[in-house]
Amino acid sequence: MKNYSAEFIGTFWLVLGGCGSAVLAAAFPELGIGLLGVSLAFGLTVLTMAFAIGHISGCHLNPSVSIGLCVGGRFPAKELLPYIIAQVLGGIAAAGVLYLIASGKAGFELSAGFASNGYGEHSPGAYSLQAALITEIVMTMMFLFVILGATDKRAPQGLAPIAIGLCLTLIHLISIPVTNTSVNPARSTAVALFVGDWAVAQLWLFWVAPIVGGILGAVVYRVIGSEKAA
């Protein structure tokens, strides 16, 4: 239960910190943190939690990461479902807290998106379903590749949280205009449930694409990152 609790808290922090920065601070008059700030916020949530709970649960915070690590031989399959449940519940709890905060301002509307992920008319840059699908698959694939490489026993020790956090920051810098960046089904589900309507209708992509990308990243790393290949 300590592992599951850690994943709940860690994913809570990721959604509150990342989506919270997008909802509360991104467009704040004159002092808005913008795309760069939101990207950094997501990276910082993972970096800080990796140091805080990495030694407890591994700090997955993301169903696609858990699945990718399982495929990569770093995580037992029997733990997948409990981890994913804890991650999704932690994300939903954070979205609930964020809603209570954001709705305290006059004029707040969930219809504005609430940091939900989307494609087509709901993409920040009006990118197509195909563009969103490719983006989410490739970004998650690279995320898993970096995670597996940074946590390899042959990699420099103690620096993995920095590499992983900066990788997530870079992913957001690339893909916020396309999908508002998911690479994490728990993060997408958490806010989509509050928005409902189109956000829930498009949620399938933000489960399918990150999971496919996570599996691909794990397979690629197993092929080229194995000690035999080295």
Side-chain angles (χ1 to χ4, degrees):
M1 287 305 298
K2 289 183 178 180
N3 287 7
Y4 310 146
S5 298
E7 286 296 304
F8 179 96
I9 293 169
T11 312
F12 177 93
W13 185 232
L14 182 145
V15 172
L16 185 61
C19 294
S21 70
V23 172
L24 303 175
F28 195 79
E30 299 180 7
L31 298 175
I33 62 175
L35 184 153
L36 177 59
V38 173
S39 299
L40 186 59
F42 271 100
L44 287 173
T45 62
V46 171
L47 189 155
T48 52
M49 271 298 152
F51 279 116
I53 66 169
H55 55 287
I56 301 173
S57 68
C59 191
H60 299 184
L61 320 184
N62 182 338
S64 62
V65 169
S66 296
I67 292 170
L69 290 174
C70 181
V71 173
R74 304 276 190 89
F75 187 65
K78 66 180 182 179
E79 296 289 340
L80 270 179
L81 185 59
Y83 261 58
I84 291 172
I85 291 172
Q87 291 157 2
V88 171
L89 291 178
I92 293 171
V97 171
L98 180 57
Y99 174 78
L100 291 175
I101 297 170
S103 61
K105 180 180 179 180
F108 169 75
E109 294 288 344
L110 281 171
S111 59
F114 200 51
S116 290
N117 303 112
Y119 54 84
E121 64 179 310
H122 301 294
S123 157
Y127 285 86
S128 68
L129 186 157
Q130 178 181 338
L133 189 66
I134 294 170
T135 297
E136 290 292 325
I137 289 174
V138 174
M139 294 300 143
T140 316
M141 180 182 75
M142 296 309 301
F143 192 35
L144 260 294
F145 188 86
V146 170
I147 290 171
L148 288 166
T151 56
D152 194 301
K153 63 183 180 182
R154 296 165 292 166
Q157 298 300 299
L159 300 178
I162 298 172
I164 295 168
L166 289 177
C167 180
L168 190 61
T169 298
L170 176 57
I171 286 169
H172 279 76
L173 287 172
I174 297 167
S175 59
I176 283 178
V178 184
T179 62
N180 218 18
T181 309
S182 171
V183 303
N184 185 338
R187 168 261 190 270
S188 298
T189 300
V191 290
L193 291 180
F194 282 82
V195 175
D197 192 25
W198 65 265
V200 171
Q202 295 191 353
L203 184 58
W204 67 269
L205 186 145
F206 302 104
W207 274 87
V208 173
I211 289 174
V212 171
I215 292 171
L216 288 175
V219 170
V220 171
Y221 191 80
R222 290 195 78 162
V223 171
I224 71 170
S226 67
E227 292 192 51
K228 287 184 179 180

